Amino acid sequence: EAGVAQSPRYKIIEKRQSVAFWCNPISGHATLYWYQQILGQGPKLLIQFQNNGVVDDSQLPKDRFSAERLKGVDSTLKIQPAKLEDSAVYLCASSLDIMRVPYGYTFGSGTRLTVV
Amino acid sequence: AQKVTQAQTEISVVEKEDVTLDCVYETRDTTYYLFWYKQPPSGELVFLIRRNSFDEQNEISGRYSWNFQKSTSSFNFTITASQVVDSAVYFCALSERKLQRDDKIIFGKGTRLHILP
């Protein structure tokens, strides 16, 4: 079974620029999550999708962050404009469906973003 | 509200020593799940174990063991005879089982473990 794919692996941008991250979940996984992991901290949930609908985006800074999951498969997370404090690893995870949450997610390798 | 506390920010031990990583959680629910994840230098989060709130039996998997105590809201992780490959950041996590659309996993801040050769 192929894992969760994320790209790019690394990204360096200047503040006020925009950036986009891509995630391809495991085939058939209905639920997709984006987490932000700042250095030295645990992952923090940004947004959760069930198929192509948003379930929870309460911690997404909507003035600069946006995410979509067209067709309920791949997802894109965008930051525009980026700030220095957005430097972090952005992790994508997927699970079969909401009812499988207790069985844990499968995480991708993440995109390490550095804003200078 | 749910919360996971990992008081140990960083631990260093010499190879072959045993080491215990502490985890304390807070939740108002009676039904919940606890997890441990490993994050090696490559960055990917690797699932290690899941326990539900109704099962307090300790679990052993090779050199890894987990001690779940509801009375103290703790879910500690012990590595026996540690190896250099165990060096990583370890996260304890919690998910409340509300059978609602917004079930999610909340992570602690992690413990960075250094195994010295």
Side-chain angles (χ1 to χ4, degrees), chain A:
Chain A
E1 176 181 78
V4 176
Q6 289 189 248
S7 68
R9 191 78 173 87
Y10 304 93
K11 191 74 177 178
I12 301 174
I13 62 171
E14 295 183 350
K15 59 183 178 183
R16 292 187 289 274
Q17 286 187 325
S18 62
V19 65
F21 313 127
W22 173 83
C23 173
N24 184 15
I26 292 174
S27 178
H29 278 198
T31 311
L32 184 147
Y33 310 81
W34 282 101
Y35 280 81
Q36 179 194 56
Q37 186 179 13
I38 293 173
L39 185 65
Q41 298 183 19
K44 182 186 83 171
L45 180 69
L46 291 176
I47 188 167
Q48 176 184 352
F49 291 95
Q50 174 75 359
N51 296 311
N52 61 351
V54 175
V55 174
D56 182 359
D57 63 357
S58 57
Q59 298 197 76
L60 187 74
K62 299 180 187 63
D63 58 332
R64 298 183 300 105
F65 285 64
S66 64
E68 59 183 9
R69 192 182 183 197
L70 299 176
K71 301 180 182 179
V73 181
D74 293 5
S75 178
T76 302
L77 177 69
K78 297 180 181 177
I79 307 175
Q80 183 179 10
K83 294 185 175 181
L84 296 176
E85 58 260 37
D86 298 333
S87 295
V89 175
Y90 291 85
L91 293 160
C92 180
S94 69
S95 64
L96 197 56
D97 57 46
I98 289 285
M99 300 300 286
R100 296 295 184 100
V101 167
Y103 294 86
Y105 308 155
T106 301
F107 282 87
S109 297
T111 296
R112 183 178 296 276
L113 173 67
T114 302
V115 182
V116 297

Side-chain angles (χ1 to χ4, degrees), chain A residues 9 35 37 40-43 45 48 55-56 91 98-99 101-105 107-109, chain B residues 33 35 37 39 42-45 50 91 95 97 99-105 107-109:
Chain A
R9 191 78 173 87
Y35 280 81
Q37 186 179 13
Q41 298 183 19
L45 180 69
Q48 176 184 352
V55 174
D56 182 359
L91 293 160
I98 289 285
M99 300 300 286
V101 167
Y103 294 86
Y105 308 155
F107 282 87
S109 297
Chain B
Y33 288 79
F35 304 81
Y37 281 84
Q39 189 173 44
S42 60
E44 188 167 341
L45 278 164
R50 173 198 78 250
F91 292 97
S95 174
R97 193 74 174 109
L99 295 179
Q100 295 176 2
R101 295 181 67 220
D102 61 346
D103 283 352
K104 62 182 68 70
I105 295 178
F107 288 83
K109 291 188 175 183

Side-chain angles (χ1 to χ4, degrees), chain B:
Chain B
Q2 48 183 324
K3 183 181 178 182
V4 176
T5 302
Q6 295 179 257
Q8 304 151 308
T9 305
E10 201 161 345
I11 301 175
S12 293
V13 299
V14 177
E15 195 173 19
K16 297 182 184 177
E17 287 185 351
D18 299 347
V19 59
T20 296
L21 309 183
D22 298 333
C23 173
V24 174
Y25 61 91
E26 295 177 27
T27 177
R28 296 176 185 172
D29 282 6
T30 57
T31 303
Y32 52 89
Y33 288 79
L34 296 164
F35 304 81
W36 275 94
Y37 281 84
K38 175 181 180 180
Q39 189 173 44
S42 60
E44 188 167 341
L45 278 164
V46 178
F47 169 80
L48 294 179
I49 189 173
R50 173 198 78 250
R51 300 299 282 172
N52 72 57
S53 53
F54 298 109
D55 183 2
E56 287 194 71
Q57 281 192 334
N58 292 333
E59 181 155 340
I60 298 174
S61 175
R63 296 183 297 106
Y64 295 171
S65 63
W66 291 269
N67 183 282
F68 176 28
Q69 293 195 345
K70 288 180 75 171
S71 59
T72 56
S73 297
S74 64
F75 186 43
N76 296 337
F77 172 31
T78 297
I79 302 175
T80 303
S82 61
Q83 300 177 1
V84 173
V85 293
D86 296 327
S87 297
V89 181
Y90 290 86
F91 292 97
C92 181
L94 165 70
S95 174
E96 293 173 340
R97 193 74 174 109
K98 298 191 290 286
L99 295 179
Q100 295 176 2
R101 295 181 67 220
D102 61 346
D103 283 352
K104 62 182 68 70
I105 295 178
I106 304 299
F107 288 83
K109 291 188 175 183
T111 297
R112 182 175 296 277
L113 178 63
H114 300 279
I115 308 298
L116 308 173

